[in-house]
Amino acid sequence: KDALLLGVLAYNCGPGVVNKSTVLKKLKSGNRDIFKSYTAHCHYRGKFHKQLHQRRLTEMVTLFQK
């Protein structure tokens, strides 16, 4: 599940963003509380984008359910 979620994020945001993200750092350390970090990737050209936020929420629910 971790790899799939990171793959989706890399596809949407780019691998450079994922490599620097707190999502990756938290998952590497074993911390599974990544909801806030993952849903923070919802900005386009520096501005909050409501539809991107909704997409991140859907991805979290679909791909990262326990």
Side-chain angles (χ1 to χ4, degrees):
K1 291 182 180 181
D2 298 347
L4 184 59
L5 194 68
L6 290 172
V8 169
L9 190 61
Y11 178 78
N12 289 311
C13 299
V17 172
V18 175
N19 288 335
K20 297 177 193 173
S21 73
T22 56
V23 176
L24 181 62
K25 291 175 187 171
K26 284 183 176 184
L27 288 174
K28 279 186 175 182
S29 71
N31 186 353
R32 306 287 294 167
D33 186 25
I34 62 166
F35 180 78
K36 255 187 188 175
S37 300
Y38 189 78
T39 56
H41 293 279
C42 57
H43 291 81
Y44 178 69
R45 294 188 178 179
K47 295 183 181 178
F48 177 79
H49 197 274
K50 186 177 178 181
Q51 290 173 331
L52 285 177
H53 187 260
Q54 185 61 41
R55 179 191 295 176
R56 298 294 173 256
L57 291 174
T58 304
E59 290 167 353
M60 275 298 289
V61 170
T62 305
L63 302 173
F64 203 70
Q65 283 183 336
K66 291 183 180 181

